[in-house]
């Protein structure tokens, strides 16, 4: 309810709230528990400060208090719960919307990721990962981009993907994850699935087993006189991960087999959580050329 009489009637809700609060304080003051301490003497300075001035305008002048609709200030618990539930639904709808993120690469391009939830039943999601380059505006920017990319200008690219997580098959495995990815620019596509099983070993130790299967397809563009062709590569990987909850340590051992390598390539890794959101991980793995690939990384991750 709004008043537009020009005498400051918008202060009426605040005045009503003060009136209700004063009534509650008056009633509570009349109910004095036994053995209560004596009331402190009123502060003369406070009384002088709170005493109304005769020159203050009368905000109730011309208003019939008996005709005011006090029900506008009343709200029951059911209505309050409905308001809270509506706010939660609005937040959930915002989370289910399209999410964008962008990071700047060292060569001046930007890595842009967009994703959106399709269904919460199987945690189905769709999205795209893109590398967006900016056109150089000056000769110095052109030379800097060429220097950062080996003498050539970076090109924009992107791939679209879809992923879903479904429950497993009873005691055999716990979770099924499926992902499909298409890169039109590179004429590449991938379809993969993984099966995960978690087993508790003790109170603070767990074992996670995972089997993954994927099909990678690579196409070539047809040119005059030479027809295009498609090649497919099938790959499977197996891994076992032991997690120690108390120490924040995880140890992983796995192996990968693909039709292009035609042999198992083994890999061993470990990850240690140092403190909140900071981890250090290292891995040692075989390559198809016979050399050993080693890596040591540290990461920081925080969500808000």
């Amino acid at each position: 309810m709004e008043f537009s009489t020009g005498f400051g009637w918008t202060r009426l809700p605040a005045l009503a709230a003060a009136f209700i609060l004063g009534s509650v304080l008056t009633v509570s003051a009349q109910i004095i528990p036994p053995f209560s301490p004596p009331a402190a003497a009123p502060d003369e300075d406070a009384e002088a400060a709170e005493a109304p001035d005769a020159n203050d305008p009368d905000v109730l002048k011309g208003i019939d208090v008996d005709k005011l609709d006090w029900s506008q200030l009343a709200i029951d618990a059911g209505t309050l719960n409905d308001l809270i539930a509506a706010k939660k639904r609005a937040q959930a709808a915002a989370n289910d919307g399209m999410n964008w993120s962008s990071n700047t690469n060292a060569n001046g391009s930007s890595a842009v990721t967009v994703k959106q939830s399709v269904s919460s039943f199987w945690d189905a999601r769709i999205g795209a990962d893109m590398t967006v380059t900016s056109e150089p505006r000056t000769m110095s920017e052109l030379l800097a981009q060429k220097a950062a990319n080996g003498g050539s200008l970076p090109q924009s690219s992107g791939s679209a993907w879809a992923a879903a997580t479904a429950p497993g098959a009873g005691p055999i495995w716990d979770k099924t994850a499926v992902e499909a990815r298409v890169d039109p620019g590179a004429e590449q596509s991938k379809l993969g699935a993984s099966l995960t099983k978690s087993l508790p070993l003790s109170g603070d130790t767990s074992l996670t087993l995972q089997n993954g299967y994927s099909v990678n397809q690579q196409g070539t563009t047809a040119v005059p006189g030479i027809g295009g062709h498609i090649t497919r590569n099938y790959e499977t990987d197996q891994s076992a991960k032991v997690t120690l909850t108390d120490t924040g340590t995880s140890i992983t051992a796995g192996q990968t087999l693909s039709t292009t390598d035609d042999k198992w390539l083994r890999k061993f890794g470990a990850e240690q959580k140092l403190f909140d959101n900071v981890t250090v991980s290292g891995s040692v793995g075989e390559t198809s050329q016979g050399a050993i690939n080693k890596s040591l990384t540290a990461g920081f991750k925080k969500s808000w």
Side-chain angles (χ1 to χ4, degrees):
M1 178 180 298
E2 295 184 359
F3 296 88
S4 57
T5 57
F7 293 97
W9 305 129
T10 54
R11 298 172 54 189
L12 183 57
L15 179 63
F19 175 77
I20 295 174
L21 179 60
S23 301
V24 173
L25 295 176
T26 303
V27 174
S28 61
Q30 293 176 356
I31 305 175
I32 302 176
F35 306 107
S36 60
D43 191 352
E44 294 181 357
D45 295 337
E47 289 183 355
E50 296 176 359
D53 191 353
N55 297 325
D56 291 342
D58 187 4
V59 296
L60 294 179
K61 182 178 180 181
I63 298 178
D64 190 354
V65 180
D66 296 334
K67 294 182 179 180
L68 294 178
D69 186 7
W70 298 102
S71 62
Q72 299 293 331
L73 302 176
I75 182 172
D76 57 3
T79 305
L80 182 61
N81 292 334
D82 293 340
L83 293 176
I84 296 175
K87 184 177 180 181
K88 291 182 178 180
R89 288 193 298 268
Q91 292 177 349
N95 293 334
D96 292 338
M98 189 173 294
N99 296 325
W100 292 81
S101 63
S102 176
N103 294 314
T104 303
N105 298 324
N107 60 359
S109 62
S110 298
V112 181
T113 300
V114 55
K115 61 181 178 179
Q116 182 176 10
S117 176
V118 178
S119 173
S120 59
F121 178 68
W122 273 11
D123 191 18
R125 309 169 304 279
I126 58 174
D129 299 328
M130 298 168 285
T131 300
V132 182
T133 61
S134 60
E135 294 293 334
R137 293 170 294 182
T138 61
M139 183 59 67
S140 60
E141 290 184 1
L142 177 63
L143 296 177
Q145 290 187 9
K146 285 187 175 182
N149 293 273
S152 61
L153 289 175
Q155 301 295 323
S156 298
S157 61
S159 61
W161 55 267
T165 303
I172 302 177
W173 70 85
D174 301 331
K175 183 177 66 175
T176 305
V178 181
E179 181 179 358
R181 183 178 291 271
V182 178
D183 187 347
E187 298 188 15
Q188 294 179 347
S189 61
K190 179 180 180 180
L191 176 63
S194 62
L195 310 177
T196 305
K197 176 68 175 180
S198 298
L199 301 171
L201 300 180
S202 63
D204 60 344
T205 306
S206 62
L207 172 65
T208 303
L209 303 175
Q210 180 173 303
N211 289 338
Y213 311 90
S214 63
V215 180
N216 299 277
Q217 180 173 291
Q218 177 68 61
T220 58
T221 305
V223 296
I226 302 176
H229 65 280
I230 296 176
T231 59
R232 292 184 178 90
N233 175 33
Y234 299 89
E235 183 177 313
T236 178
D237 62 88
Q238 303 170 352
S239 65
K241 181 179 180 180
V242 178
T243 304
L244 306 176
T245 307
D246 288 350
T247 60
T249 306
S250 61
I251 302 173
T252 306
Q255 57 182 1
T256 304
L257 176 65
S258 65
T259 54
T260 55
D261 298 330
D262 199 21
K263 66 177 181 179
W264 287 101
L265 301 178
R266 296 171 177 82
K267 183 178 180 180
F268 177 82
E271 182 177 278
Q272 177 63 52
K273 182 177 180 181
L274 299 181
F275 44 88
D276 290 343
N277 307 315
V278 177
T279 59
V280 175
S281 60
S283 64
V284 177
E286 299 176 335
T287 62
S288 58
Q289 293 79 17
I292 301 298
N293 184 20
K294 303 177 182 179
S295 67
L296 179 64
T297 60
F300 173 81
K301 181 178 180 182
K302 185 175 180 59
S303 301
W304 60 87

